[in-house]
Amino acid sequence: VQLQASGGGLVQAGDSLRLSCKASGRTFSNYDMGWFRQAPGKKREFVAAIRRSGGVTYYAESVKGRFTISRDNPKNTVYLQINALKPEDTAVYYCAASLDDTNWIAAMAFSYDYWGQGTQVTVSS
């Protein structure tokens, strides 16, 4: 499956953004999906994930209450709504897809088989 992330940009603290990740090539509903981010000089970190059915979501503690992950399977798209943006949210945001539901660990990058190219989010104070 190919993943194309979009929706990033330069925003001010307190603003909101909705990131999108559109999948192509395979049946989107066969994949659990996740969002990760990587800030300059830091390791890639888990942000949020959603089960293939859309019924179960997972979040990093640091983003709970501000980030919302959702998916639209007929549109082959997963979203990440980010509210009340902070300068520390500045990073490249990546979407990822996992085919193996049995062994999938939402917060672990190694659980994902496919990655998008990333979209830059920059938050100014």
Side-chain angles (χ1 to χ4, degrees):
V1 67
Q2 291 79 46
L3 304 173
Q4 180 71 41
S6 62
L10 174 61
V11 297
Q12 293 186 332
D15 285 350
S16 297
L17 276 178
R18 189 176 79 158
L19 308 183
S20 300
C21 175
K22 187 167 178 62
S24 61
R26 298 291 176 96
T27 304
F28 182 64
S29 59
N30 286 345
Y31 294 86
D32 299 311
M33 298 296 296
W35 285 96
F36 289 73
R37 66 185 180 184
Q38 187 166 16
K42 295 188 177 181
K43 294 182 179 179
R44 189 170 298 190
E45 65 172 354
F46 169 73
V47 174
I50 187 167
R51 286 269 183 198
R52 56 197 64 194
S53 66
V56 181
T57 57
Y58 307 86
Y59 294 94
E61 285 296 324
S62 60
V63 305
K64 279 184 179 178
R66 294 193 301 120
F67 288 31
T68 303
I69 188 171
S70 61
R71 65 190 295 161
D72 186 335
N73 283 347
K75 292 185 177 180
N76 293 346
T77 303
V78 62
Y79 304 98
L80 185 68
Q81 177 69 40
I82 309 174
N83 297 327
L85 277 153
K86 304 176 181 180
E88 51 263 43
D89 294 321
T90 294
V92 178
Y93 284 71
Y94 298 90
C95 57
S98 173
L99 183 60
D100 184 357
D101 190 49
T102 301
N103 297 307
W104 179 59
I105 303 173
M108 295 300 179
F110 65 74
S111 283
Y112 295 83
D113 306 296
Y114 304 96
W115 291 81
Q117 86 291 357
T119 185
Q120 176 72 47
V121 173
T122 303
V123 185
S124 63
S125 57

